[in-house]
Amino acid sequence: MAKMKIWLGHGAVAAISVLAAFLLSEYLPFMAMVENWTADYRVATLLPPEPQHPDIVVVSITEDTLQMFPYRSPVDRHFLAELLDSLDKAGVKAVGVDILFDQASEPAKDAELRDTLARMRMPVVASYIGAEEGLNEDQREYLDEFIPFAMRGYATLHKDAYDQSVREMFAGRPSPDGFIPGLPLALASKLYPGLNPVAQPISWHGKPAADVPPFRQFPAHTVKLMPKDWLKDKVVLIGSDLSLTDRHRTPFSVGAGEGGRLTPGVVIHAHALAQLLDGRHRDGIDPRLKLLLCIVVAIAAIAISRLPFGVGIKAGLAGGLFVLVWVGGFFAFARTGINIPLLMPSLALTSALWLAETLGGRQERQQKQFIKDAFGLYMSPSIVEELVRDPSRLTLGGERREMTFLFTDVAGFTTVTEQTDPPVLGAILNQYFDGVCGIIMDQGGTVVDFIGDAVFCLFGAPVSHADHARRAIDCARRIEEFSLRFRNLDHVKACGWGITRIGVHTGTALIGNFGSGKRFKYSAVGDSVNTASRVEGLNKYFGSAVCVSETSVAASGMTGLRPLGRFMLKGKSHPLAVNEPVSDDWLASGAGRGYLAAYALMAEGRGAEALRAFETLDQTEPCIAFHLERLRDGETSDVVTMKDK
């Protein structure tokens, strides 16, 4: 009976472990993103080499092409008409045009291109999008008139909801005139009318060599000079190959350095079309085989837990099994192209071993070891250590703790969004967040949320640091330095990117997982969080980049800050002193000593003397101008009453 209970218990452990691993990997966004990342990394680094596709050619609109014309957008339509005519004469098999014709240019050139499209001998599919992609009514009407229904193919790309990577074909959408398939699907249907292609995960075409693209690619302005044999009987895709324009994340973006490598949309369409024409399917694994793999790994983990060895040996065996799963997954892809899931069996291994050890009475010791082994690859070390100490942090609830909060905000961001194309702005914003978050992580902070262009992070949780205030102030200074360099990048400067304003405040708040049983987030709640946000907003009064509250200064013990004022925030009964980090050289300079002397007079309530002292300083500095205006209006101290939040 005892043995039967043990076997039933282990069976329950295996079933629970496999079910949990499957559900977490399939339905928990973070886990799904990690699983996608491992698959993407294999595609980016181990995709088997293949010859350039024999039937598909990419004709690119490059910067050199655009320099031939007086304006960049829309692309000169006389040039496009001549390009299509050259392709027609070269005897190409079909043409896909990944260029949107949603607005008029020069009437004669528009008419010429429309006539050229109408008389093309080979099948042509042109890009089409609708209101879902942001076209207004005038643009939709013009596009419907310019591109006949039979030539339309949706240029939209199917992007993952979590990381915006393209991994699947876009099926298309219904329209008043009928269903419009995705551009590669529409082109494949015209080439092979009986094919009836369907959207599916993309099976990426390998490169012949590291520096050779998977498809032959020619600049558009060179086509008319090329031998016709180079294009005869080829399927030609025309699209842009420009930096920050129609470029997207794909599996090839993983491991490609800062910001990741982005792939032109026309090249993504080429991969999808090659897959359809070749009749290939992305090599994956049946869900039943996924479960079988998890069952095998879970049983192996339970077997390890029953071995009469010490913790160290068991940990080594479990680690070996873990490595075997991962190395086997990479080896299988390199040899067969099959992307075996790695996170799911890893979770099954971890949970089965943990539960089995718990069942045997050794929960605490083994739990610490294997949480580190399994999750150390996916989470930051500080969070892993916190989970090891207290696994209950994965449930709803919170605790009160002193922390330091940091808010950032980009000045004038609304104007930037109105004046910058969304694809360009998205790329810049991602690059900005990558830099800011990297600094926060380096300083041991935790990024809690993104609110438009703003970042909210905290120091002192989930792992408690005695020097959390110092870490936050150092982080603010580094973000300020980074933002100044970032603003001077050519493509960032062109969109009018504003300064990054930062607020730092230390106080007590409730920290933990808040939400519902189905969806929750690790965050901080309390008046101190609101105060930190309002401290950040004080920068606009002084033209400063960083404001640090007196509580953060006191908690950090840092010097090298100058007082800006004591602010009576709305709803508060006591003023809050705010400071700005400055250099030691400035504090020791005549300007620094003069400011501190003038401020001291104002802080002592000697308004008239303070006014005279401030008038001797550089009145073009926003901080000095702010206090001069107050003193001239009759204020006598450094206490500023805020009328709004």
Side-chain angles (χ1 to χ4, degrees), residues 8-20 294-295 298-299 302 348 351-352 355-356:
L8 288 175
H10 287 317
V13 165
I16 293 171
S17 300
V18 171
L19 180 61
C294 289
I295 291 171
I299 291 174
I302 293 171
S351 58
L355 291 174

Side-chain angles (χ1 to χ4, degrees), residues 282-356:
R282 187 176 74 177
D283 293 323
I285 183 169
D286 187 277
R288 291 171 294 184
L289 293 178
K290 291 183 182 180
L291 288 175
L292 179 60
L293 176 62
C294 289
I295 291 171
V296 171
V297 171
I299 291 174
I302 293 171
I304 290 174
S305 73
R306 290 184 56 82
L307 293 174
F309 300 135
V311 175
I313 295 178
K314 289 184 179 182
L317 292 173
L321 180 58
F322 183 88
V323 171
L324 180 64
V325 170
W326 281 71
V327 172
F330 278 76
F331 180 79
F333 181 83
R335 295 297 299 269
T336 68
I338 297 176
N339 245 326
I340 296 174
L342 299 180
L343 183 63
M344 189 183 299
S346 299
L347 291 173
L349 162 65
T350 305
S351 58
L353 192 61
W354 175 30
L355 291 174

Side-chain angles (χ1 to χ4, degrees), residues 510-569:
L510 191 66
I511 183 72
N513 295 311
F514 302 104
S516 68
K518 295 182 179 180
R519 181 177 178 85
F520 58 85
K521 180 173 67 172
Y522 188 79
S523 186
V525 178
D527 182 66
S528 294
V529 179
N530 299 329
T531 300
S533 176
R534 293 161 72 180
V535 168
E536 179 275 313
L538 296 177
N539 283 290
K540 62 186 176 183
Y541 294 99
F542 302 111
S544 55
V546 181
C547 278
V548 181
S549 74
E550 61 182 335
T551 57
S552 295
V553 175
S556 69
M558 295 178 67
T559 58
L561 297 98
R562 70 166 178 174
L564 296 176
R566 288 185 296 154
F567 286 81
M568 184 68 74
L569 300 176

Side-chain angles (χ1 to χ4, degrees), residues 382-383 399 401-408 439-441 443-449 455-465 467-469 471-473 475 479 503-507 509-514 521-526 528-529 532:
S382 62
I383 296 179
E399 61 172 312
R401 181 186 295 186
E402 181 183 90
M403 295 164 285
T404 299
F405 309 97
L406 185 151
F407 279 86
T408 75
I439 294 171
I440 293 170
M441 294 296 290
Q443 294 295 132
T446 300
V447 177
V448 176
D449 207 355
V455 179
F456 167 37
C457 69
L458 55 86
F459 293 79
V463 177
S464 178
H465 295 118
D467 61 343
H468 53 81
R471 289 171 181 258
I473 297 173
C475 180
I479 292 175
V504 179
H505 176 64
T506 299
L510 191 66
I511 183 72
N513 295 311
F514 302 104
K521 180 173 67 172
Y522 188 79
S523 186
V525 178
S528 294
V529 179

Side-chain angles (χ1 to χ4, degrees), residues 145-206:
E145 179 183 353
F146 201 95
I147 303 299
F149 176 75
M151 282 190 181
R152 298 173 191 171
Y154 255 98
T156 304
L157 296 172
H158 188 290
K159 295 187 176 183
D160 185 274
Y162 301 121
D163 63 7
Q164 297 298 298
S165 288
V166 179
R167 300 185 182 91
E168 299 183 20
M169 302 177 193
F170 182 73
R173 283 200 184 98
S175 75
D177 298 320
F179 186 82
I180 302 176
L183 191 146
L185 298 168
L187 201 51
S189 297
K190 288 185 178 294
L191 287 165
Y192 301 101
L195 184 62
N196 192 28
V198 295
Q200 54 189 293
I202 297 176
S203 177
W204 303 94
H205 193 86

Side-chain angles (χ1 to χ4, degrees), residues 40-356:
D40 290 349
Y41 186 80
R42 281 170 276 176
V43 171
T45 58
L46 298 175
L47 190 67
E50 297 180 71
Q52 284 188 320
H53 199 280
D55 300 323
I56 297 176
V57 172
V58 175
V59 172
S60 303
I61 307 294
T62 66
E63 290 291 347
D64 290 338
T65 306
L66 295 181
Q67 286 179 7
M68 300 167 55
F69 315 124
Y71 48 85
R72 294 176 62 89
S73 179
V75 179
D76 188 278
R77 289 178 182 169
H78 168 69
F79 170 79
L80 292 176
E82 287 190 335
L83 174 60
L84 289 170
D85 189 58
S86 297
L87 295 175
D88 201 19
K89 291 177 180 178
V92 302
K93 185 181 293 186
V95 174
V97 184
D98 188 23
I99 298 173
L100 196 62
F101 305 118
D102 62 336
Q103 57 181 305
S105 63
E106 300 173 64
K109 293 181 178 181
D110 292 347
E112 179 186 5
L113 178 57
R114 189 183 290 110
D115 292 342
T116 301
L117 287 169
R119 67 170 182 268
M120 296 292 284
R121 291 176 297 174
M122 71 291 196
V124 177
V125 175
S127 289
Y128 185 89
I129 60 176
E132 296 84 352
E133 288 76 24
L135 288 190
N136 59 40
E137 187 67 26
D138 291 339
Q139 288 175 306
R140 293 201 305 272
E141 289 181 1
Y142 187 86
L143 183 59
D144 288 341
E145 179 183 353
F146 201 95
I147 303 299
F149 176 75
M151 282 190 181
R152 298 173 191 171
Y154 255 98
T156 304
L157 296 172
H158 188 290
K159 295 187 176 183
D160 185 274
Y162 301 121
D163 63 7
Q164 297 298 298
S165 288
V166 179
R167 300 185 182 91
E168 299 183 20
M169 302 177 193
F170 182 73
R173 283 200 184 98
S175 75
D177 298 320
F179 186 82
I180 302 176
L183 191 146
L185 298 168
L187 201 51
S189 297
K190 288 185 178 294
L191 287 165
Y192 301 101
L195 184 62
N196 192 28
V198 295
Q200 54 189 293
I202 297 176
S203 177
W204 303 94
H205 193 86
K207 297 179 177 181
D211 57 347
V212 180
F215 306 96
R216 280 175 292 178
Q217 196 162 342
F218 304 112
H221 55 279
T222 66
V223 168
K224 62 182 178 181
L225 305 176
M226 292 165 42
K228 293 183 179 180
D229 290 345
W230 289 12
L231 298 172
K232 183 175 175 59
D233 295 327
K234 308 298 183 187
V235 180
V236 177
L237 293 176
I238 304 172
S240 65
D241 188 0
L242 306 169
S243 61
L244 296 180
T245 300
D246 192 24
R247 302 179 77 89
H248 311 274
R249 285 186 59 84
T250 65
F252 301 113
S253 302
V254 174
E258 184 177 356
R261 184 180 70 183
L262 304 179
T263 303
V266 66
V267 175
I268 297 175
H269 290 316
H271 280 281
L273 180 61
Q275 177 180 349
L276 295 171
L277 298 184
D278 297 342
R280 298 196 305 179
H281 296 274
R282 187 176 74 177
D283 293 323
I285 183 169
D286 187 277
R288 291 171 294 184
L289 293 178
K290 291 183 182 180
L291 288 175
L292 179 60
L293 176 62
C294 289
I295 291 171
V296 171
V297 171
I299 291 174
I302 293 171
I304 290 174
S305 73
R306 290 184 56 82
L307 293 174
F309 300 135
V311 175
I313 295 178
K314 289 184 179 182
L317 292 173
L321 180 58
F322 183 88
V323 171
L324 180 64
V325 170
W326 281 71
V327 172
F330 278 76
F331 180 79
F333 181 83
R335 295 297 299 269
T336 68
I338 297 176
N339 245 326
I340 296 174
L342 299 180
L343 183 63
M344 189 183 299
S346 299
L347 291 173
L349 162 65
T350 305
S351 58
L353 192 61
W354 175 30
L355 291 174

Side-chain angles (χ1 to χ4, degrees), residues 420-463:
T420 308
D421 290 339
V424 175
L425 180 61
I428 292 175
L429 196 57
N430 287 336
Q431 184 181 0
Y432 170 77
F433 281 147
D434 187 59
V436 171
C437 293
I439 294 171
I440 293 170
M441 294 296 290
D442 286 345
Q443 294 295 132
T446 300
V447 177
V448 176
D449 207 355
F450 299 96
I451 310 164
D453 62 288
V455 179
F456 167 37
C457 69
L458 55 86
F459 293 79
V463 177

